[in-house]
Each structure stands twice: as C-alpha cells, then as structure tokens.
C-alpha cells in the first residue's frame, strides 16, 4: 500500500506523514523532494524540479522499489499541484500494480498563507521563496482530485484526527 499525501504547500503533509509513521513504525516515509534536490546537483537547475521528466520517472521507480523491497506501507508526503503530473505519477504506480490511498489535504487559503509565512523566521527564507510558494496556491485543487481521493480539511482537524481518518480509509 502506498499512502500518498497530497495538498498545497503548508497543508500539513509532512506533519501527517510523521503522525502516520509514529502509528505505523514499520512503514517507510519517502520524500520525493529529496530526489528533486539531488537531480539539481546533476542537471541544470530549473524553476521547479517537478517539471523535469526525469524527476517524475524517478519518483515512480523509487516508490516502487522502496515499497517492493523495504516496506508493506510507503508514506509519501508530496504536493502534486499539476494535475497532469499527479496523473502521470499515481497512474504509473497503479499501472505497476500498487494499491494507492490518495489523500488530499485541503484548507482555507488564508490559513495556508499564514502557515507558509510562519514556516521560517524572517531572513532565513531564500529570496523569492515566499512568492514562488504563493504562486502555486490553488484554492480549487480539491475539486479537481480524482475519484476515490480521500479529501480531508487540515485546517479543521489536527494531525491525530487526520491520521485517524487516513487509517480508517485503509483497506482491510
């Protein structure tokens, strides 16, 4: 089983992944952002590593390898804000026979902005990072999630309550 935690920046994906991992200690947490950072060491840096075909391909193959060789449950906290990329990655995992619980964390845009602004103390945010993150806020993203997506409000539920909902949605 792959539990994919999707949602905008500041929605609580990493926090929820930590809570799920605490409850499922045998699971492996895979953060595809690390692949993007690694790719940027090898290829010319672009605005968003998700735009790299190689990143999306590596995410699918790495998730498959981790799930097949290291864990019955893989927890993946990663925003897939472009619908085509979400379809490509989750579709690739499904085509390989993986069972996926796709969770989308939705929240009020004002709460999301506040969370983003409170992430790092002033002066520690790289120049342009706030604007980049704000440019990717998408208040209509929850409405475009595929059928079967578990949509949860992370501005109304705490991490423990969110984890309860995710675990209750797991098959068998």
């Amino acid at each position: 089983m792959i539990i994919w935690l999707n949602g905008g920046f500041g929605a609580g994906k990493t926090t929820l992944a930590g809570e799920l991992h605490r409850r499922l200690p045998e699971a492996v947490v895979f953060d595809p952002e690390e692949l993007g950072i690694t790719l940027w060491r090898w290829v010319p840096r672009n605005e968003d590593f998700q735009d790299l075909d190689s990143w999306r391909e590596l995410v699918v193959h790495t998730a498959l390898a981790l799930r097949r060789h290291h864990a019955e449950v893989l927890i993946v906290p990663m925003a897939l804000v472009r619908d085509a990329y979400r379809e490509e990655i989750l579709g690739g995992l499904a085509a390989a026979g993986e069972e996926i619980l796709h969770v989308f964390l939705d929240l009020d845009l004002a709460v999301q902005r506040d969370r983003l602004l409170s992430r790092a103390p002033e002066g520690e945010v790289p120049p342009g990072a706030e604007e980049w993150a704000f440019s990717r806020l998408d208040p209509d993203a929850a409405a475009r999630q595929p059928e079967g997506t578990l949509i949860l409000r992370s501005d109304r539920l705490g991490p423990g309550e969110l984890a309860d909902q995710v675990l209750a949605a797991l098959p068998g």
Side-chain angles (χ1 to χ4, degrees):
M1 165 63 64
I2 296 175
I3 302 171
W4 195 285
L5 305 175
N6 196 359
F9 304 114
K13 298 176 298 294
T14 302
T15 301
L16 177 54
E19 179 62 21
L20 288 169
H21 193 232
R22 187 182 69 73
R23 296 181 187 200
L24 301 169
E26 72 284 355
V28 168
V29 177
F30 163 49
D31 184 353
E33 184 174 349
E34 297 297 326
L35 289 177
I37 292 166
T38 299
L39 272 174
W40 277 344
R41 291 183 191 139
W42 301 328
V43 300
R45 193 177 180 107
N46 63 345
E47 185 178 317
D48 186 345
F49 55 72
Q50 288 195 15
D51 293 332
L52 298 171
D53 294 335
S54 55
W55 178 81
R56 297 188 307 277
E57 185 177 324
L58 282 169
V59 168
V60 171
H61 291 291
T62 304
L64 290 172
L66 287 170
R67 221 291 304 134
R68 289 179 179 161
H69 299 292
H70 300 285
E72 288 294 315
V73 177
L74 187 67
I75 301 168
V76 186
M78 186 71 214
L80 295 174
V81 296
R82 289 182 184 80
D83 297 346
Y85 295 172
R86 180 195 64 236
E87 292 168 15
E88 178 182 347
I89 291 170
L90 297 183
L93 295 169
E98 292 297 323
E99 190 170 2
I100 303 161
L101 174 59
H102 179 233
V103 178
F104 186 85
L105 299 179
D106 193 19
L107 70 164
D108 182 77
L109 194 57
V111 174
Q112 190 174 15
R113 285 182 185 275
D114 288 346
R115 286 182 183 178
L116 286 173
L117 289 171
S118 68
R119 276 191 164 176
E122 192 171 325
E124 292 184 29
V125 178
E130 282 180 7
E131 293 81 17
W132 184 88
F134 286 151
S135 74
R136 281 153 176 78
L137 297 181
D138 184 354
D140 301 319
R144 294 193 320 276
Q145 297 308 303
E147 186 176 327
T149 298
L150 177 62
I151 298 177
L152 300 173
R153 292 294 303 238
S154 65
D155 56 350
R156 297 181 185 156
L157 299 172
E161 295 166 306
L162 291 166
D164 290 342
Q165 295 287 322
V166 171
L167 294 173
L170 291 175

